[in-house]
Amino acid sequence: MSEAVSATLRARMAQKDAHYGGNLVDGARILQLFGDVVTEITVRMDGDEGLLSGYSEVEFKAPVYVGDYIEVSGRLVGRSRLRRVVEFTAWKYIAARYEQGTTRAELLGEPVVVCRAVGTAVVPRDAARRRSAGAGGTAVADMSRAE
């Protein structure tokens, strides 16, 4: 794949994201953020939001709590006519420290990986397009009937 397509977003985990005791955030919230990232990627690639059809891998690596700041990135690693395969990573880069005070938080020296996944999005046949080789790869060509 000659062109790197990626997207990144940051979000603070709010009280509404807590699902378990101790203000632990449900892992589904991280998957929701992955969905937002793949949507941006498919819009960039195809001009369509597409549909996240599934994950082939999901690994939760560290807990996420209310007040934590999470950065989520996705990188396009494969594509076919109608499918876009994206690798996702979520990092915690600010950790809430409410045990030290009601407004305490800490900027982590090294972000902590909290989740990794691989997902596949599907774009509608009439929306699928590819970037042409001309104009520095910036032009877009319709490929809905080409393949």
Side-chain angles (χ1 to χ4, degrees):
M1 181 161 298
S2 62
E3 182 181 354
V5 179
S6 63
T8 299
L9 64 84
R10 289 182 173 184
R12 180 178 184 266
M13 298 298 101
Q15 189 63 51
K16 68 180 175 75
D17 299 319
H19 187 73
Y20 300 104
N23 286 324
L24 185 63
V25 172
D26 191 342
R29 177 65 175 118
I30 304 303
L31 298 182
Q32 181 183 29
L33 294 172
F34 287 166
D36 290 341
V37 166
V38 76
T39 297
E40 181 178 340
I41 289 172
T42 56
V43 167
R44 287 178 182 208
M45 295 291 300
D46 301 290
D48 190 274
E49 292 184 359
L51 177 64
L52 180 61
S53 62
Y55 293 101
S56 57
E57 303 173 33
V58 177
E59 295 178 277
F60 295 104
K61 310 289 259 175
V64 175
Y65 297 97
V66 169
D68 291 347
Y69 283 74
I70 303 298
E71 180 175 281
V72 176
S73 291
R75 182 175 58 91
L76 185 71
V77 295
R79 70 178 283 180
S80 66
R81 192 173 101 221
L82 301 177
R83 297 191 189 320
R84 310 294 177 253
V85 179
V86 177
E87 287 181 346
F88 302 101
T89 306
W91 297 270
K92 181 188 316 187
Y93 66 97
I94 293 177
R97 297 292 187 230
Y98 298 142
E99 71 281 1
Q100 298 173 5
T102 58
T103 59
R104 300 290 300 184
E106 173 187 9
L107 178 63
L108 301 175
E110 286 290 319
V112 174
V113 173
V114 297
C115 188
R116 292 188 193 278
V118 175
T120 301
V122 178
V123 294
R125 183 180 308 275
D126 62 343
R129 61 187 184 186
R130 65 178 173 185
R131 299 195 185 279
S132 71
T138 58
V140 174
D142 183 4
M143 68 180 250
S144 59
R145 293 176 186 78
E147 297 181 69

